[in-house]
Amino acid sequence: MAAGIYNITIEAYADFDRTFQIRSGSSNLDITGYSFAASLRERAQNTTSAADFVCSIVSNTDGKFRLVLSDSATATLKSGDYQYDVVMTDAGGSKSRILQGLATITAGMTR
């Protein structure tokens, strides 16, 4: 499965919560037994992540999963452009990078 490109904006000091849906052809992919991991880095070659998303499945049969960063996690991010990706692990342990893109962090004034 080729990685899709989807750019996101994350507001510092605010919760980030986004739901995605995986399709295979014209049908939703059943993600029963799958898991997801997603990281945010200032540069792809950095060895440590700026933040790790909390990933969860919203609906197995509809292929929906969710990425979340709490307000306390976004508070640690400085403004600017980052890169992120999402890796899906199937029930057999095979990993696929399914989503990637630019994550723009915008400054927050209210804490």
Side-chain angles (χ1 to χ4, degrees):
M1 179 179 293
I5 297 175
Y6 184 75
N7 297 328
I8 58 176
T9 299
I10 298 171
E11 299 169 345
Y13 300 97
D15 294 317
F16 175 85
D17 189 333
R18 185 76 42 90
T19 298
F20 297 91
Q21 186 171 39
I22 305 171
R23 297 185 57 82
S24 179
S26 61
S27 302
N28 299 330
L29 179 67
D30 186 338
I31 55 175
T32 301
Y34 287 51
S35 63
F36 297 85
S39 293
L40 180 70
R41 296 176 191 264
E42 287 190 74
R43 290 173 187 75
Q45 65 270 23
N46 286 11
T47 57
T48 59
S49 63
D52 293 320
F53 292 88
V54 175
C55 304
S56 61
I57 293 175
V58 175
S59 173
N60 288 314
T61 56
D62 289 331
K64 291 183 179 181
F65 69 96
R66 180 177 172 201
L67 301 181
V68 174
L69 286 175
S70 68
D71 61 326
S72 59
T74 64
T76 66
L77 303 172
K78 62 183 180 181
S79 300
D81 291 332
Y82 292 67
Q83 296 174 8
Y84 83 100
D85 68 3
V86 179
V87 172
M88 176 178 72
T89 305
D90 68 19
S94 180
K95 295 180 183 241
S96 302
R97 185 164 29 106
I98 59 166
L99 190 62
Q100 63 186 17
L102 183 68
T104 301
I105 311 301
T106 60
M109 303 310 124
T110 304
R111 288 155 172 75

XYZ file of all heavy atoms in Angstrom:
830
model
N 0.857 -1.167 0.000
C 0.000 0.000 0.000
C 0.909 1.238 0.000
O 1.772 1.383 0.850
C -0.896 -0.036 1.243
C -1.814 1.144 1.377
S -2.883 1.071 2.841
C -3.930 -0.296 2.437
N 0.714 2.121 -0.951
C 1.508 3.345 -1.036
C 1.022 4.361 -0.013
O -0.168 4.442 0.293
C 1.407 3.932 -2.436
N 1.969 5.127 0.516
C 1.628 6.138 1.513
C 0.921 7.313 0.843
O 1.390 7.844 -0.158
C 2.880 6.617 2.220
N -0.210 7.704 1.420
C -0.903 8.895 0.961
C -0.256 10.112 1.574
O 0.399 10.036 2.617
N -0.405 11.251 0.923
C 0.144 12.499 1.445
C -1.007 13.382 1.903
O -1.954 13.628 1.147
C 0.996 13.213 0.384
C 2.189 12.337 0.024
C 1.443 14.584 0.879
C 3.033 12.862 -1.098
N -0.927 13.808 3.167
C -1.951 14.666 3.747
C -1.284 15.615 4.722
O -0.717 15.184 5.719
C -3.011 13.807 4.462
C -4.158 14.599 5.015
C -5.143 15.100 4.170
C -4.266 14.852 6.372
C -6.208 15.832 4.675
C -5.320 15.581 6.893
C -6.292 16.063 6.032
O -7.340 16.797 6.534
N -1.310 16.895 4.402
C -0.695 17.906 5.268
C -1.686 18.323 6.353
O -2.889 18.411 6.095
C -0.257 19.111 4.444
C 0.804 18.738 3.428
O 1.611 17.846 3.659
N 0.812 19.400 2.296
N -1.154 18.579 7.559
C -2.000 18.941 8.693
C -1.484 20.210 9.358
O -0.323 20.573 9.186
C -2.073 17.802 9.743
C -0.671 17.438 10.272
C -2.781 16.581 9.164
C -0.658 16.388 11.372
N -2.359 20.870 10.099
C -1.984 22.013 10.929
C -2.295 21.655 12.367
O -3.388 21.160 12.671
C -2.771 23.272 10.518
O -2.452 23.579 9.151
C -2.399 24.459 11.403
N -1.322 21.880 13.250
C -1.478 21.591 14.673
C -1.318 22.908 15.417
O -0.317 23.611 15.234
C -0.430 20.569 15.152
C -0.611 19.236 14.407
C -0.512 20.378 16.663
C 0.491 18.236 14.656
N -2.288 23.255 16.217
C -2.233 24.489 16.993
C -1.574 24.207 18.341
O -2.027 23.330 19.086
C -3.636 25.041 17.199
C -4.334 25.384 15.898
C -5.797 25.683 16.073
O -6.364 25.367 17.136
O -6.388 26.234 15.131
N -0.493 24.945 18.651
C 0.173 24.786 19.942
C -0.792 25.154 21.060
O -1.620 26.051 20.909
C 1.417 25.667 20.001
N -0.707 24.456 22.174
C -1.537 24.657 23.373
C -3.004 24.273 23.158
O -3.863 24.646 23.948
C -1.434 26.100 23.899
C -0.024 26.477 24.272
C 0.779 27.169 23.377
C 0.512 26.106 25.496
C 2.090 27.497 23.699
C 1.812 26.433 25.828
C 2.599 27.122 24.929
O 3.900 27.436 25.254
N -3.298 23.539 22.107
C -4.662 23.061 21.855
C -4.596 21.573 21.543
O -3.565 21.055 21.112
C -5.288 23.823 20.690
N -5.695 20.877 21.766
C -5.772 19.457 21.435
C -5.824 19.282 19.918
O -6.477 20.057 19.216
C -7.020 18.822 22.046
C -6.980 18.805 23.562
O -5.927 18.488 24.123
O -8.013 19.118 24.180
N -5.129 18.269 19.419
C -5.223 17.872 18.013
C -5.897 16.519 17.993
O -5.479 15.598 18.693
C -3.833 17.780 17.363
C -3.880 17.254 15.964
C -4.130 18.113 14.903
C -3.697 15.904 15.700
C -4.194 17.630 13.598
C -3.748 15.414 14.410
C -3.999 16.278 13.356
N -6.935 16.367 17.191
C -7.697 15.117 17.128
C -8.237 14.977 15.710
O -9.061 15.770 15.274
C -8.847 15.175 18.138
C -9.563 13.848 18.302
O -9.573 13.038 17.358
O -10.129 13.640 19.393
N -7.756 13.971 14.981
C -8.171 13.792 13.595
C -8.449 12.321 13.343
O -7.692 11.453 13.753
C -7.066 14.284 12.684
C -7.321 14.306 11.216
C -8.219 15.457 10.722
N -7.951 16.738 11.319
C -7.093 17.650 10.865
N -6.376 17.428 9.799
N -6.958 18.802 11.482
N -9.552 12.045 12.659
C -9.930 10.680 12.293
C -9.697 10.489 10.797
O -10.037 11.355 9.991
C -11.403 10.401 12.646
O -11.555 10.532 14.068
C -11.825 9.002 12.236
N -9.129 9.341 10.436
C -8.850 8.987 9.047
C -9.552 7.684 8.714
O -9.834 6.873 9.604
C -7.344 8.808 8.831
C -6.552 10.054 9.071
C -6.039 10.333 10.328
C -6.324 10.952 8.046
C -5.302 11.483 10.564
C -5.587 12.111 8.275
C -5.073 12.379 9.521
N -9.793 7.465 7.430
C -10.425 6.231 6.979
C -9.583 5.616 5.869
O -9.163 6.311 4.945
C -11.836 6.505 6.462
C -12.604 5.256 6.109
C -14.053 5.569 5.804
O -14.371 6.568 5.183
N -14.937 4.695 6.250
N -9.343 4.323 5.974
C -8.544 3.599 4.987
C -9.482 2.841 4.056
O -10.363 2.110 4.507
C -7.591 2.591 5.659
C -6.719 3.297 6.680
C -6.743 1.882 4.618
C -5.920 2.345 7.534
N -9.241 3.027 2.774
C -10.035 2.324 1.775
C -9.118 1.443 0.946
O -7.953 1.765 0.736
C -10.776 3.320 0.896
C -11.768 4.146 1.712
C -12.625 5.063 0.882
N -13.405 4.433 -0.149
C -14.585 3.822 0.020
N -15.109 3.761 1.224
N -15.220 3.296 -0.981
N -9.640 0.336 0.506
C -8.934 -0.560 -0.405
C -9.824 -0.686 -1.641
O -10.878 -1.312 -1.592
C -8.718 -1.927 0.254
O -8.064 -2.796 -0.639
N -9.411 -0.030 -2.690
C -10.274 0.036 -3.873
C -11.492 0.876 -3.551
O -11.380 1.984 -3.054
N -12.672 0.306 -3.770
C -13.906 1.050 -3.501
C -14.529 0.685 -2.155
O -15.625 1.134 -1.840
C -14.914 0.807 -4.631
O -15.232 -0.567 -4.706
N -13.827 -0.114 -1.358
C -14.369 -0.567 -0.075
C -13.502 -0.087 1.082
O -12.298 0.149 0.922
C -14.426 -2.093 -0.021
O -15.208 -2.600 -1.060
N -14.102 0.011 2.242
C -13.344 0.297 3.459
C -12.526 -0.927 3.830
O -12.993 -2.051 3.696
C -14.289 0.649 4.610
C -15.109 1.880 4.322
O -14.667 2.770 3.604
N -16.302 1.937 4.872
N -11.307 -0.702 4.303
C -10.457 -1.807 4.736
C -10.830 -2.200 6.162
O -10.888 -1.341 7.039
C -8.981 -1.383 4.683
C -7.962 -2.426 5.131
C -7.940 -3.597 4.139
C -6.577 -1.796 5.239
N -11.097 -3.475 6.389
C -11.369 -3.955 7.746
C -10.029 -4.027 8.473
O -9.129 -4.767 8.084
C -12.028 -5.335 7.710
C -12.462 -5.829 9.077
O -11.916 -5.354 10.107
O -13.343 -6.703 9.134
N -9.887 -3.237 9.539
C -8.612 -3.147 10.258
C -8.634 -3.897 11.593
O -7.870 -3.588 12.490
C -8.184 -1.681 10.445
C -9.270 -0.849 11.127
C -7.778 -1.059 9.099
C -8.862 0.582 11.447
N -9.478 -4.903 11.687
C -9.500 -5.745 12.876
C -8.127 -6.402 13.053
O -7.587 -6.982 12.112
C -10.596 -6.833 12.753
O -11.861 -6.194 12.582
C -10.627 -7.729 13.964
N -7.546 -6.265 14.225
C -6.237 -6.834 14.513
C -5.063 -5.963 14.093
O -3.924 -6.340 14.295
N -5.328 -4.820 13.528
C -4.274 -3.906 13.104
C -3.915 -2.951 14.243
O -4.691 -2.757 15.171
C -4.728 -3.054 11.912
C -4.821 -3.783 10.599
C -5.510 -4.982 10.465
C -4.237 -3.252 9.455
C -5.608 -5.633 9.253
C -4.333 -3.900 8.230
C -5.023 -5.089 8.140
O -5.118 -5.729 6.936
N -2.735 -2.347 14.137
C -2.350 -1.287 15.074
C -1.685 -0.177 14.275
O -1.262 -0.375 13.127
C -1.418 -1.821 16.162
O -0.208 -2.281 15.591
N -1.588 0.985 14.903
C -1.059 2.163 14.229
C -0.058 2.870 15.132
O -0.199 2.859 16.361
C -2.198 3.127 13.881
C -3.178 2.536 12.910
C -4.226 1.736 13.356
C -3.035 2.745 11.549
C -5.116 1.164 12.462
C -3.921 2.176 10.650
C -4.964 1.387 11.107
N 0.937 3.491 14.512
C 1.914 4.315 15.219
C 2.186 5.526 14.342
O 2.228 5.417 13.112
C 3.197 3.539 15.471
N 2.355 6.682 14.980
C 2.615 7.910 14.225
C 3.521 8.826 15.036
O 3.342 8.975 16.240
C 1.300 8.619 13.904
N 4.483 9.425 14.346
C 5.439 10.326 14.986
C 5.570 11.610 14.195
O 5.352 11.647 12.988
C 6.822 9.677 15.074
O 6.806 8.591 15.950
N 5.979 12.640 14.921
C 6.199 13.970 14.376
C 7.665 14.319 14.609
O 8.165 14.151 15.725
C 5.277 14.934 15.126
C 5.285 16.401 14.787
C 4.663 16.628 13.417
C 4.471 17.151 15.838
N 8.353 14.749 13.567
C 9.768 15.116 13.690
C 10.013 16.435 12.968
O 9.374 16.716 11.961
C 10.671 14.049 13.080
C 10.583 12.719 13.809
C 11.434 11.657 13.104
N 11.139 10.345 13.641
C 11.838 9.751 14.584
N 12.902 10.331 15.081
N 11.507 8.563 15.031
N 10.982 17.208 13.484
C 11.332 18.456 12.798
C 11.925 18.155 11.426
O 11.655 18.868 10.472
C 12.303 19.288 13.635
C 11.624 19.937 14.825
C 12.524 20.939 15.513
O 12.727 22.041 14.947
O 13.015 20.610 16.602
N 12.706 17.110 11.345
C 13.282 16.647 10.084
C 13.245 15.127 10.078
O 13.422 14.499 11.114
C 14.721 17.137 9.938
C 14.798 18.627 9.714
C 16.225 19.141 9.737
N 16.262 20.579 9.689
C 15.976 21.383 10.715
N 15.623 20.878 11.868
N 16.028 22.690 10.571
N 13.057 14.562 8.914
C 12.941 13.101 8.806
C 14.175 12.395 9.350
O 14.068 11.314 9.925
C 12.690 12.695 7.360
N 15.355 13.001 9.200
C 16.596 12.344 9.633
C 16.856 12.462 11.130
O 17.763 11.824 11.648
C 17.803 12.859 8.826
C 18.127 14.311 9.026
C 17.398 15.233 8.046
O 16.363 14.884 7.495
N 17.934 16.415 7.835
N 16.057 13.247 11.863
C 16.228 13.331 13.323
C 16.005 11.959 13.952
O 15.118 11.216 13.541
C 15.250 14.333 13.928
C 15.627 15.773 13.644
O 16.497 16.047 12.828
N 14.954 16.686 14.305
N 16.809 11.645 14.965
C 16.696 10.330 15.599
C 15.622 10.279 16.684
O 15.204 9.199 17.076
C 18.049 9.899 16.202
O 18.481 10.900 17.120
C 19.092 9.712 15.109
N 15.194 11.426 17.180
C 14.132 11.446 18.182
C 12.934 12.220 17.652
O 13.083 13.170 16.877
C 14.604 12.081 19.510
O 15.042 13.413 19.250
C 15.738 11.284 20.129
N 11.763 11.808 18.085
C 10.557 12.484 17.624
C 10.264 13.694 18.503
O 10.600 13.721 19.681
C 9.367 11.526 17.623
O 9.075 11.092 18.924
N 9.640 14.688 17.901
C 9.193 15.862 18.648
C 7.956 15.512 19.458
O 7.719 16.054 20.531
C 8.903 17.011 17.692
N 7.160 14.583 18.931
C 5.959 14.092 19.619
C 5.510 12.801 18.956
O 5.703 12.612 17.757
C 4.840 15.129 19.555
N 4.925 11.933 19.754
C 4.305 10.715 19.243
C 2.801 10.845 19.419
O 2.322 11.166 20.508
C 4.814 9.478 19.996
C 6.280 9.223 19.729
O 6.717 9.378 18.570
O 7.005 8.869 20.672
N 2.068 10.620 18.349
C 0.613 10.674 18.408
C 0.080 9.477 19.190
O 0.668 8.388 19.163
C 0.016 10.620 17.000
C 0.294 11.828 16.161
C 1.442 11.909 15.379
C -0.603 12.891 16.126
C 1.699 13.009 14.588
C -0.357 14.007 15.333
C 0.792 14.061 14.564
N -1.020 9.659 19.871
C -1.763 8.543 20.443
C -2.676 8.058 19.322
O -3.473 8.834 18.776
C -2.585 8.978 21.681
C -3.448 7.831 22.174
C -1.662 9.491 22.776
N -2.535 6.800 18.968
C -3.304 6.227 17.857
C -4.325 5.242 18.401
O -4.011 4.446 19.293
C -2.382 5.489 16.898
S -1.042 6.495 16.245
N -5.518 5.295 17.868
C -6.549 4.336 18.276
C -7.458 4.024 17.097
O -7.542 4.798 16.141
C -7.370 4.883 19.449
O -8.021 6.082 19.084
N -8.116 2.891 17.181
C -9.070 2.493 16.144
C -10.448 2.994 16.543
O -10.896 2.783 17.667
C -9.045 0.967 15.942
C -7.688 0.566 15.347
C -10.197 0.517 15.049
C -7.468 -0.910 15.192
N -11.106 3.664 15.614
C -12.455 4.193 15.831
C -13.484 3.159 15.410
O -14.464 2.921 16.110
C -12.655 5.513 15.050
C -14.083 6.010 15.158
C -11.675 6.565 15.536
N -13.273 2.534 14.241
C -14.198 1.515 13.729
C -13.414 0.525 12.882
O -12.901 0.883 11.818
C -15.306 2.157 12.893
O -16.090 1.157 12.277
N -13.319 -0.712 13.352
C -12.590 -1.748 12.609
C -13.155 -1.964 11.217
O -12.424 -1.957 10.232
C -12.615 -3.078 13.374
C -11.742 -3.069 14.583
O -10.604 -2.629 14.532
N -12.263 -3.548 15.698
N -14.456 -2.183 11.135
C -15.069 -2.538 9.855
C -15.135 -1.370 8.885
O -15.170 -1.575 7.673
C -16.483 -3.122 10.057
O -17.266 -2.171 10.787
C -16.422 -4.435 10.821
N -15.129 -0.151 9.392
C -15.143 1.026 8.522
C -13.740 1.524 8.195
O -13.575 2.506 7.471
C -15.936 2.168 9.166
C -17.428 1.889 9.203
O -17.922 1.170 8.313
O -18.099 2.398 10.119
N -12.703 0.885 8.764
C -11.329 1.280 8.480
C -10.945 2.626 9.056
O -10.061 3.300 8.534
N -11.578 3.018 10.159
C -11.319 4.341 10.738
C -10.372 4.257 11.933
O -10.569 3.438 12.823
C -12.621 4.989 11.186
C -13.518 5.379 10.033
C -14.765 6.087 10.530
C -15.654 6.490 9.380
N -16.857 7.196 9.846
N -9.360 5.132 11.909
C -8.438 5.249 13.034
C -8.251 6.728 13.350
O -8.568 7.607 12.551
C -7.101 4.561 12.750
C -6.268 5.247 11.712
C -5.272 6.140 12.076
C -6.470 5.015 10.360
C -4.505 6.783 11.131
C -5.711 5.650 9.403
C -4.723 6.533 9.787
N -7.700 6.986 14.524
C -7.627 8.348 15.056
C -6.221 8.667 15.522
O -5.540 7.818 16.107
C -8.613 8.392 16.213
C -8.755 9.648 16.945
C -9.854 9.443 17.987
N -9.909 10.588 18.874
C -10.438 10.563 20.066
N -10.968 9.454 20.547
N -10.460 11.643 20.796
N -5.785 9.920 15.281
C -4.518 10.435 15.787
C -4.815 11.574 16.745
O -5.596 12.473 16.414
C -3.645 10.975 14.653
C -3.244 10.024 13.540
C -2.366 10.758 12.530
C -2.525 8.809 14.089
N -4.182 11.551 17.918
C -4.444 12.565 18.942
C -3.125 13.054 19.539
O -2.225 12.260 19.799
C -5.339 11.982 20.069
C -5.499 12.968 21.213
C -6.689 11.544 19.530
N -3.059 14.369 19.745
C -2.025 14.989 20.577
C -2.757 15.862 21.584
O -3.610 16.674 21.203
C -1.080 15.871 19.753
C -0.061 15.175 18.857
C 0.689 16.205 18.023
C 0.915 14.352 19.679
N -2.451 15.716 22.845
C -3.100 16.531 23.883
C -2.546 17.950 23.857
O -1.482 18.208 23.280
C -2.862 15.915 25.260
O -1.490 16.026 25.588
N -3.246 18.852 24.512
C -2.773 20.238 24.600
C -1.411 20.315 25.296
O -0.570 21.145 24.943
C -3.801 21.140 25.291
C -4.098 20.711 26.721
O -4.079 19.504 27.020
O -4.366 21.596 27.550
N -1.165 19.442 26.258
C 0.144 19.459 26.929
C 1.242 18.971 25.984
O 2.387 19.428 26.067
C 0.121 18.644 28.218
O -0.237 17.312 27.963
N 0.922 18.074 25.063
C 1.910 17.620 24.073
C 2.182 18.705 23.035
O 3.336 18.942 22.661
C 1.425 16.342 23.391
N 1.128 19.389 22.574
C 1.342 20.446 21.569
C 2.028 21.665 22.182
O 2.677 22.427 21.475
C 0.023 20.877 20.890
O -0.848 21.469 21.854
C -0.653 19.698 20.206
N 1.917 21.839 23.488
C 2.561 22.973 24.165
C 4.085 22.888 24.102
O 4.773 23.903 24.206
C 2.108 23.045 25.619
N 4.622 21.694 23.903
C 6.073 21.512 23.855
C 6.649 21.767 22.467
O 7.867 21.767 22.298
C 6.468 20.089 24.297
O 5.969 19.149 23.342
C 5.928 19.776 25.681
N 5.783 21.972 21.473
C 6.234 22.138 20.095
C 6.444 23.611 19.759
O 5.596 24.443 20.073
C 5.198 21.544 19.135
C 4.861 20.074 19.344
C 3.689 19.665 18.465
C 6.081 19.197 19.075
N 7.561 23.910 19.124
C 7.772 25.283 18.677
C 7.164 25.455 17.284
O 7.010 24.480 16.536
C 9.250 25.646 18.688
C 10.127 24.837 17.779
C 11.587 25.230 17.927
C 12.434 24.378 16.996
N 13.827 24.665 17.080
N 6.804 26.670 16.961
C 6.182 26.965 15.670
C 7.096 26.568 14.523
O 8.315 26.665 14.621
C 5.878 28.453 15.547
O 5.001 28.860 16.555
N 6.490 26.133 13.433
C 7.267 25.800 12.240
C 6.731 24.574 11.545
O 5.683 24.033 11.898
N 7.475 24.129 10.561
C 7.095 22.963 9.767
C 7.827 21.718 10.254
O 9.039 21.748 10.467
C 7.408 23.198 8.288
C 6.512 24.252 7.674
O 5.370 24.409 8.151
O 6.943 24.911 6.715
N 7.076 20.665 10.406
C 7.575 19.357 10.826
C 7.135 18.344 9.773
O 6.365 18.664 8.872
C 6.966 18.947 12.168
C 7.410 19.766 13.359
C 7.068 21.111 13.490
C 8.152 19.193 14.376
C 7.461 21.850 14.594
C 8.553 19.926 15.497
C 8.200 21.253 15.587
O 8.587 21.979 16.680
N 7.585 17.121 9.925
C 7.125 16.016 9.086
C 6.533 14.952 9.994
O 6.948 14.793 11.135
C 8.284 15.441 8.277
C 8.875 16.423 7.300
C 10.110 15.878 6.608
O 10.456 14.709 6.733
N 10.789 16.737 5.868
N 5.540 14.247 9.474
C 4.941 13.160 10.245
C 4.651 11.995 9.305
O 4.604 12.162 8.080
C 3.648 13.618 10.949
C 2.432 13.582 10.065
C 1.534 12.518 10.133
C 2.198 14.588 9.134
C 0.426 12.479 9.295
C 1.095 14.559 8.318
C 0.211 13.496 8.392
O -0.890 13.453 7.557
N 4.488 10.836 9.884
C 3.983 9.700 9.118
C 3.219 8.763 10.034
O 3.274 8.880 11.261
C 5.085 8.969 8.343
C 6.095 8.230 9.208
O 5.951 8.216 10.443
O 7.037 7.656 8.648
N 2.464 7.877 9.398
C 1.662 6.879 10.111
C 2.038 5.514 9.563
O 2.028 5.299 8.341
C 0.146 7.107 9.908
C -0.664 6.045 10.637
C -0.257 8.511 10.353
N 2.377 4.590 10.462
C 2.708 3.217 10.091
C 1.613 2.301 10.625
O 1.231 2.384 11.795
C 4.087 2.805 10.639
C 4.347 1.318 10.409
C 5.183 3.647 9.999
N 1.113 1.460 9.735
C 0.069 0.490 10.090
C 0.716 -0.891 10.147
O 1.469 -1.271 9.245
C -1.029 0.512 9.023
C -2.112 -0.521 9.221
S -3.411 -0.392 7.943
C -2.541 -1.039 6.510
N 0.428 -1.628 11.221
C 0.903 -2.999 11.363
C -0.296 -3.924 11.286
O -1.251 -3.773 12.051
C 1.633 -3.199 12.713
O 2.691 -2.225 12.808
C 2.202 -4.594 12.830
N -0.260 -4.873 10.343
C -1.400 -5.779 10.199
C -1.317 -6.917 11.212
O -0.350 -7.019 11.974
C -1.554 -6.285 8.764
C -0.449 -7.223 8.305
O 0.274 -7.811 9.143
O -0.317 -7.393 7.076
N -2.320 -7.761 11.226
C -2.417 -8.839 12.211
C -1.226 -9.800 12.138
O -0.863 -10.420 13.135
C -3.731 -9.596 12.034
N -0.580 -9.904 10.980
C 0.569 -10.789 10.814
C 1.900 -10.135 11.138
O 2.946 -10.766 11.051
N 1.874 -8.841 11.494
C 3.099 -8.133 11.859
C 3.746 -7.353 10.725
O 4.781 -6.729 10.909
N 3.145 -7.378 9.545
C 3.682 -6.642 8.407
C 3.365 -5.152 8.552
O 2.229 -4.779 8.841
C 3.076 -7.193 7.114
O 3.590 -6.492 6.006
N 4.390 -4.301 8.344
C 4.233 -2.854 8.526
C 4.181 -2.143 7.180
O 4.937 -2.478 6.273
C 5.391 -2.295 9.352
C 5.408 -2.816 10.762
C 6.567 -2.241 11.543
C 6.596 -2.848 12.920
N 6.441 -1.898 13.965
N 3.318 -1.142 7.107
C 3.200 -0.298 5.922
C 3.081 1.147 6.351
O 2.327 1.463 7.278
C 1.942 -0.652 5.116
O 1.930 -1.988 4.725
N 3.831 2.026 5.692
C 3.647 3.458 5.924
C 2.473 3.860 5.040
O 2.549 3.788 3.821
C 4.900 4.244 5.571
C 4.752 5.712 5.913
C 6.074 6.465 5.943
N 7.092 5.947 5.075
C 7.469 6.518 3.935
N 6.917 7.616 3.527
N 8.428 5.982 3.218
N 1.370 4.269 5.673
C 0.148 4.527 4.914
C -0.147 6.005 4.721
O -0.954 6.364 3.868
C -1.070 3.846 5.574
C -1.271 4.352 6.996
C -0.930 2.335 5.518
C -2.607 4.000 7.596
N 0.488 6.866 5.506
C 0.189 8.287 5.445
C 1.424 9.073 5.851
O 2.162 8.654 6.748
C -0.975 8.602 6.396
C -1.621 9.967 6.329
C -2.244 10.226 4.965
C -2.688 10.086 7.415
N 1.640 10.197 5.184
C 2.769 11.064 5.534
C 2.441 12.468 5.073
O 1.542 12.675 4.264
C 4.050 10.592 4.869
C 4.003 10.651 3.353
C 5.239 10.046 2.717
O 5.989 9.316 3.342
N 5.457 10.355 1.458
N 3.181 13.426 5.617
C 2.968 14.782 5.162
C 3.667 15.804 6.022
O 4.427 15.487 6.934
N 3.365 17.036 5.711
C 3.886 18.175 6.428
C 2.926 18.508 7.562
O 1.713 18.505 7.377
C 3.999 19.364 5.465
C 4.581 20.648 5.984
C 6.076 20.471 6.282
C 4.385 21.745 4.951
N 3.471 18.791 8.737
C 2.669 19.231 9.877
C 3.153 20.630 10.250
O 4.289 20.808 10.677
C 2.835 18.281 11.053
N 2.296 21.603 10.067
C 2.636 22.980 10.402
C 2.146 23.271 11.811
O 0.957 23.116 12.095
C 2.005 23.961 9.397
O 2.493 23.643 8.097
C 2.353 25.399 9.742
N 3.055 23.670 12.686
C 2.702 24.016 14.054
C 2.513 25.521 14.117
O 3.408 26.276 13.731
C 3.817 23.592 15.061
C 4.246 22.144 14.834
C 3.354 23.846 16.491
C 3.167 21.117 14.954
N 1.331 25.942 14.560
C 1.070 27.367 14.687
C 1.156 27.769 16.155
O 0.775 27.009 17.042
C -0.323 27.744 14.131
O -1.327 27.026 14.853
C -0.425 27.403 12.657
N 1.683 28.968 16.391
C 1.873 29.462 17.765
C 0.539 29.701 18.445
O -0.444 30.036 17.804
C 2.672 30.752 17.744
N 0.525 29.503 19.748
C -0.670 29.782 20.540
C -0.374 30.884 21.545
O 0.729 30.975 22.073
N -1.335 31.719 21.784
C -1.163 32.817 22.726
C -1.753 32.475 24.099
O -1.201 32.809 25.133
C -1.859 34.104 22.234
C -1.410 34.586 20.881
S 0.375 34.703 20.728
C 0.596 33.665 19.298
N -2.894 31.797 24.096
C -3.580 31.472 25.336
C -3.091 30.139 25.859
O -3.095 29.142 25.141
C -5.100 31.436 25.119
O -5.512 32.686 24.591
C -5.825 31.138 26.401
N -2.677 30.129 27.111
C -2.166 28.909 27.706
C -3.070 28.505 28.809
O -3.104 27.664 29.472
C -0.737 29.142 28.187
C 0.186 29.231 26.965
C 1.436 30.027 27.272
N 2.436 30.019 26.255
C 2.372 30.691 25.118
N 1.305 31.347 24.768
N 3.389 30.687 24.287
